[in-house]
Amino acid sequence: MTPLFRLLIALVLALFMASVLIGPAAVGTLASLKALTLGGDGPLPIVMRQIRLPRAMLGLAVGAGLGLTGAAMQGYLRNPLAEPGLIGVSGMAALGAVIAIQTGAALAFALALPVAALAGAAVGIGLLVALAGPRGGSVTLILAGVAISAMAGAGTALVLNLSPNPYAANEIIFWLMGSLADRSLVHVALALPPMILGAALIATTARGLDALTLGEAAAQALGIDGTALRWRLIAGVALIVGPATAVAGAIGFVGLVVPHLLRPWVGARPSRLLPASALGGAALLLAADIAVRVIVPERDLKLGVLTAIVGAPLFLHLIWKTRSGGRI
């Protein structure tokens, strides 16, 4: 194990524990750890086990998933500006959640919102398969993803425009900003299994992504089935991004920023960038979620807003370097 991976693992573990222990309640570290591990009577064990622990687990899973899928998309498309939302699944998941809020289903049934978001992600996958076709190339895939994203964005705007209830519209806007607050172990159980399956699928593409760095013709000569590789990758990305959006809302830039930051440290091999980006994404999202609790906690700063504030300037920097012909 390289020093970079040891550092990233230590950083993720430290941030995970900090995420569990940091909160608005002024409770000592020892008392918090005792309530978390031993339980007991009173509100503190409930806070630690039912509120803080699920939030930290989702921060770890969602951050790792977004970092992993960002590295996978960049490796497949051989473009450092690619990101997980490119295939449109996250937009369709958000549309499903918006519909659940607007129709009142989210109030009638506790899990209606994440379930509707997962249904929207499934519709997005179906549309992607139908539009890109079984043998469509990377350009067709990108165009299909852009079309699906545009359609999902238009649907979300239409729901907001026609919403007769200002409270529902306000709730939709806040949900779209992304957050891990008020999540439970039920959300963890809902999101984690498909995300683990998606990560396993992406892990099987590591050798193919390494071969693709030499070009599609060279990869085919090395025995890589381009069609199988593409659909394993797309299925893995969809299984991660859909549930992540379902439980955390729209959180951008993690899958774009993290692979870019870690690429110089792992070389040009996507197979090494995949696990590094998963760890880096988990560390970034855990740190951002801690920050939203510390920075103006009384104003409920949204997680997606903070990641956008951090990620947008770096994204502009990437565009500028590409325009001026520099290496990214």
Side-chain angles (χ1 to χ4, degrees):
M1 185 182 296
T2 65
L4 174 65
F5 281 93
R6 286 197 293 266
L7 176 62
L8 287 173
I9 291 172
L11 182 61
V12 169
L13 291 175
L15 288 170
F16 182 85
M17 289 306 302
S19 179
V20 173
L21 296 175
I22 293 175
V27 182
T29 301
L30 292 178
S32 298
L33 289 174
K34 181 180 178 181
L36 178 65
T37 55
L38 302 178
D41 299 324
L44 186 57
I46 297 176
V47 169
M48 296 301 299
R49 293 186 171 189
Q50 302 298 325
I51 297 177
R52 292 191 187 177
L53 181 61
R55 183 169 184 166
M57 292 175 68
L58 285 176
L60 175 66
V62 172
L66 293 177
L68 177 65
T69 53
M73 290 298 295
Q74 291 177 15
Y76 174 69
L77 297 175
R78 287 162 296 180
N79 186 340
L81 300 181
E83 54 96 23
L86 192 64
I87 62 174
V89 174
S90 59
M92 290 299 294
L95 177 59
V98 165
I99 292 173
I101 296 172
Q102 174 58 32
T103 58
L107 294 176
F109 175 48
L111 291 179
L113 193 152
V115 169
L118 288 175
V123 172
I125 297 171
L127 289 173
L128 185 68
V129 173
L131 291 174
R135 297 189 177 277
S138 58
V139 175
T140 305
L141 183 69
I142 294 172
L143 292 176
V146 169
I148 294 169
S149 295
M151 183 175 65
T156 301
L158 179 64
V159 172
L160 282 169
N161 182 226
L162 299 180
S163 175
N165 187 343
Y167 298 103
N170 188 60
E171 186 178 352
I172 289 170
I173 292 171
F174 276 103
W175 185 86
L176 289 173
M177 293 180 183
S179 177
L180 294 175
D182 302 322
R183 303 305 190 262
S184 67
L185 289 173
V186 177
H187 291 88
V188 176
L190 186 68
L192 214 53
M195 293 181 75
I196 292 173
L197 177 59
L201 281 173
I202 290 178
T204 65
T205 67
R207 177 175 173 271
L209 293 177
D210 282 347
L212 273 178
T213 59
L214 304 175
E216 293 186 5
Q220 188 175 4
L222 291 172
I224 302 300
D225 185 344
T227 301
L229 173 67
R230 176 170 58 254
W231 290 114
R232 272 186 286 137
L233 181 71
I234 295 306
V237 171
L239 285 168
I240 291 174
V241 174
T245 306
V247 297
I251 298 176
F253 292 101
V254 175
L256 174 67
V257 170
V258 171
H260 168 69
L261 292 176
L262 293 175
R263 187 173 287 107
W265 299 92
V266 299
R269 293 184 61 184
S271 60
R272 295 185 63 192
L273 185 60
L274 291 177
S277 295
L279 292 169
L284 177 61
L285 204 64
L286 285 169
D289 191 46
I290 293 170
V292 300
R293 290 178 249 177
V294 176
I295 302 172
V296 290
E298 69 281 357
R299 301 293 296 177
D300 190 23
L301 179 64
K302 295 299 181 182
L303 183 59
V305 175
L306 184 60
T307 58
I309 290 173
V310 174
L314 184 56
F315 183 58
L316 293 175
H317 173 67
L318 290 174
I319 295 174
W320 179 259
K321 290 188 70 174
T322 303
R323 176 188 172 190
S324 34
R327 291 185 63 189
I328 296 181

